[in-house]
């Protein structure tokens, strides 16, 4: 299967703590992207990391990519209640299709 | 800020009926996509569309599905004879060639009874 895998499935932390989510994939990729989805809403693009990059930052977001392990992580620092959402990784394969992980449900407790 | 829009937000239909889900991608985007997400499950790629033809499609996108760009703004997904298992959120997305970030609409929740 080309599907991505994410862990944990759910993560509940206190406001102010850091949240780390992981994603693994099985095939070669062009890039890997992270999206956010608020409950019952659309998907919002957060950050993209290309296959030749190892780390990328955007505000409180930090993404790493290890192509040797076929894995990526998303770190949200200094979490806020508004970060509560589901986070999905999606990797772009050689056919430029986005293959999605199962998502991590993040709950930030105030 | 430009955004992808989708209508309707919720569609209820009976099994065997045809449905058309509508999307207005961001103007000047040239690649268009449909995805679906069954409740609580992964987002699944259905089809991509470029230059007025399908460029890629998944195994899910069988003969019951079709896409069309009838004019310069709309992008539609038709399901000819809906099944119970077609119940899902359907997302439309678009992007500009060479930029891999996709912009998603809010989705249409399809309920087949």
């Amino acid at each position: 299967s080309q599907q991505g895998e994410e862990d944990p499935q759910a993560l509940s932390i206190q406001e102010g703590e850091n949240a780390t989510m992981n994603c693994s994939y099985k095939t070669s990729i062009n890039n890997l992207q992270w999206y956010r989805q608020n409950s019952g809403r659309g998907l919002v693009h957060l950050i993209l990391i290309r296959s030749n990059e190892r780390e990328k930052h955007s505000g409180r977001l930090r993404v790493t990519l290890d192509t040797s392990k076929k894995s990526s992580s998303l770190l949200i620092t200094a979490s806020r209640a508004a970060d509560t959402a589901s986070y999905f990784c999606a990797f772009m394969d050689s056919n430029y299709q986005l293959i999605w992980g199962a998502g991590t449900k993040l709950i930030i407790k105030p | 800020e430009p955004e992808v829009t989708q209508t309707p937000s919720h569609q209820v239909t009976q099994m065997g009926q045809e449905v058309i889900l509508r999307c207005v991608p961001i103007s000047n985007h040239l690649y268009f996509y449909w995805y679906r997400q069954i409740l609580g499950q992964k987002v699944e790629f259905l089809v991509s569309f470029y230059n007025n033809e399908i460029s890629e499609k998944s195994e899910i996108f069988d003969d019951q599905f079709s896409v069309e760009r009838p004019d310069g703004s709309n992008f539609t997904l038709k399901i000819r004879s809906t099944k119970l298992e077609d119940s899902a959120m359907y997302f439309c997305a678009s992007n500009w060639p060479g930029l891999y970030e996709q912009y998603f609409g809010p989705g249409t929740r399809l309920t087949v009874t």
Side-chain angles (χ1 to χ4, degrees):
Chain A
S1 167
Q2 286 190 325
Q3 299 287 350
E5 301 296 331
E6 282 186 68
D7 73 272
Q9 288 185 325
L11 180 61
S12 180
I13 60 174
Q14 290 294 138
E15 194 168 22
E17 294 181 339
N18 296 340
T20 300
M21 289 156 270
N22 303 295
C23 171
S24 62
Y25 56 92
K26 295 180 181 176
T27 187
S28 59
I29 64 170
N30 179 293
N31 62 73
L32 190 143
Q33 305 179 34
W34 286 89
Y35 287 80
R36 166 196 167 122
Q37 184 181 37
N38 285 57
S39 180
R41 305 289 296 276
L43 294 142
V44 176
H45 181 266
L46 294 176
I47 195 165
L48 178 152
I49 186 165
R50 297 180 191 278
S51 59
N52 61 353
E53 296 177 312
R54 293 296 166 258
E55 188 170 312
K56 204 157 182 183
H57 297 253
S58 177
R60 293 185 294 114
L61 305 180
R62 175 179 163 245
V63 169
T64 61
L65 179 64
D66 186 335
T67 52
S68 66
K69 294 181 180 176
K70 289 185 164 52
S71 66
S72 173
S73 67
L74 171 68
L75 169 68
I76 304 174
T77 60
S79 62
R80 304 168 183 167
D83 293 331
T84 294
S86 290
Y87 292 82
F88 292 88
C89 74
F91 61 90
M92 184 166 281
D93 67 10
S94 54
N95 292 322
Y96 301 100
Q97 281 189 36
L98 274 182
I99 312 296
W100 296 76
T104 294
K105 192 169 185 177
L106 176 65
I107 296 172
I108 309 298
K109 296 178 284 188
Chain B
E1 187 173 329
E3 58 182 18
V4 177
T5 59
Q6 289 185 243
T7 55
S9 57
H10 190 190
Q11 172 91 47
V12 181
T13 189
Q14 287 191 326
M15 196 167 53
Q17 295 295 305
E18 174 184 285
V19 294
I20 298 176
L21 310 182
R22 291 184 167 78
C23 168
V24 179
I26 293 173
S27 64
N28 297 326
H29 280 189
L30 297 181
Y31 283 89
F32 313 110
Y33 310 84
W34 283 101
Y35 295 87
R36 79 172 186 191
Q37 185 182 30
I38 296 171
L39 185 63
Q41 297 188 24
K42 296 181 181 183
V43 177
E44 299 173 291
F45 168 79
L46 293 179
V47 65
S48 60
F49 192 86
Y50 171 70
N51 201 24
N52 283 322
E53 60 182 24
I54 291 173
S55 45
E56 297 286 342
K57 61 182 181 178
S58 71
E59 294 172 352
I60 303 167
F61 194 88
D62 61 23
D63 292 344
Q64 292 299 312
F65 291 87
S66 62
V67 289
E68 199 175 38
R69 187 155 163 82
D71 52 43
S73 58
N74 290 285
F75 180 50
T76 62
L77 174 70
K78 182 194 288 187
I79 309 175
R80 287 191 185 82
S81 178
T82 50
K83 305 175 190 135
L84 293 175
E85 53 265 36
D86 293 328
S87 294
M89 282 287 284
Y90 287 81
F91 293 104
C92 170
S94 67
N95 69 335
W96 185 257
L99 295 178
Y100 299 118
E101 298 88 337
Q102 295 183 13
Y103 292 80
F104 282 77
T108 291
R109 180 173 297 283
L110 176 65
T111 302
V112 183
T113 61

